[in-house]
Structure formats: structure tokens, C-alpha cells
Amino acid sequence: SPPPSSVCHCYRRRFGLFSVYGVGLYVAEDDVDSLSTTTDILRGSTEAQLQLKFCRSVEDGTVSNSMKEAMAPRMPKGEEETLDRFLETFNDLIGGPAYDGLVVGFHWSAGTLTTFVEDESGDSRTELSIKSESIPRALFAVYIDDDAVVPAEKFIDGLQNLKQAAIAAAADAASN
């Protein structure tokens, strides 16, 4: 299950003006105050989750090929085979083309990456877990490092809004 606090939602556009999928970044509520920027998540000490919700069909293999293109430069030297095995398993997990309404999630906690795929109805179709530091770090870096595929300000603004909401909720709870 996702950590309860959403940092940001935005759309990833490719091929011009077409939205391919929406991206949601979530962090555990207890970790919100310890984050100064979203890149703090890359240290691996924060429970976090990325969710991709597709808003158009994408051919079989295209998602894993795009992930490889984006993750490979972020992987440590010598771990190319680890990335290839993960992406092969990931492609099998999707089980064909991505389609409108498909949700793919990546939950990173305590050195374990749990990947899940849900169909349009929200029923969890399948999931897998791997123990790794390099795979989740590279995957999350695709969305939150300095060369992220989505605008960094979306996540930074989302983090600041989340912190303000947490402060307001704490003040409200203290006054009651």
C-alpha cells in the first residue's frame, strides 16, 4: 500500500503534446518533515512510492525499453546485467502492452523495491519484490534527480505544500 502523503502528481509528455502517463510521488507521512528536497529520497532512508498511471496505450516492450534508456546512465558501473534482469522481469510483470488506466507502482522501503501492476478496476494484478539499492535509486532518480524526466519544480512545490499541510494539521490538532 502507498505511503499516505502525496508529494506531487504531474503528467509525463512524450512525442510532442501527448500525455503518456501520470506520475505520482508519495512518501511516508512520518518522513515528510525530514525531507528538505525530493532528492533526499535517493538516500534510500525514506519510504517512498512512485505510481505511473497510463492514459494511452503503449506497445509491448516500450515501457521497459524507455526505463532502460533512462535508468542505465544512473546505475553504478558493472550493474548493467542487474538492470537487464530487473527490466526483463518487469516486462513479464506487465504481461503485454501498457494500456489506458493501467497503474504501475514502485514502493521503495528498507532496501526493497516492490513493483506492482493494477488493472483499471484497481485490483492488484501482480507484484514482485527485489532486494536492491541500485535499482530503486536509479528508478526514482529518473523522476527526481537534477536531470529528471518531469519538471523538478512540480515535485519541489508539492513537497513544500505537503509540509505546509502537515504543519497546519499539527497546529489544528494541538488547538483541539
Side-chain angles (χ1 to χ4, degrees):
S1 66
S5 298
S6 172
V7 172
C8 174
H9 292 279
C10 58
Y11 282 95
R12 170 78 168 117
R13 298 183 189 282
R14 281 206 58 163
F15 314 114
L17 302 175
F18 297 109
S19 294
V20 178
Y21 57 84
V23 179
L25 174 64
Y26 302 83
V27 296
E29 200 167 332
D30 295 343
D31 292 334
V32 171
D33 290 335
S34 67
L35 295 176
S36 57
T37 69
T38 53
T39 54
D40 289 347
I41 293 168
L42 298 178
R43 291 190 311 246
S45 58
T46 301
E47 182 181 2
Q49 183 168 299
L50 280 170
Q51 281 190 14
L52 311 179
K53 183 170 184 178
F54 288 84
C55 50
R56 68 182 320 104
S57 294
V58 180
E59 292 180 14
D60 188 18
T62 301
V63 176
S64 56
N65 289 340
S66 294
M67 288 174 64
K68 181 174 183 166
E69 181 182 312
M71 289 174 67
R74 294 168 168 92
M75 290 291 291
K77 297 264 187 255
E79 293 207 30
E80 295 82 6
E81 192 174 305
T82 302
L83 178 59
D84 288 343
R85 280 193 315 266
F86 168 72
L87 292 173
E88 184 178 304
T89 305
F90 172 76
N91 199 50
D92 291 345
L93 183 71
I94 290 181
Y99 54 86
D100 185 11
L102 182 74
V103 175
V104 178
F106 305 96
H107 185 102
W108 185 14
S109 179
T112 299
L113 180 70
T114 301
T115 304
F116 62 90
V117 177
E118 294 178 354
D119 62 18
E120 294 173 278
S121 66
D123 296 330
S124 186
R125 187 171 81 192
T126 188
E127 72 175 46
L128 70 95
S129 294
I130 62 165
K131 195 90 168 137
S132 172
E133 290 297 327
S134 59
I135 295 290
R137 185 169 288 114
L139 176 64
F140 277 69
V142 168
Y143 295 94
I144 60 178
D145 73 5
D146 293 337
D147 296 317
V149 297
V150 295
E153 63 273 6
K154 296 234 182 209
F155 288 123
I156 292 167
D157 290 346
L159 178 60
Q160 297 311 317
N161 292 340
L162 186 59
K163 283 185 169 193
Q164 290 172 355
I167 291 167
D172 187 42
S175 68
N176 290 332

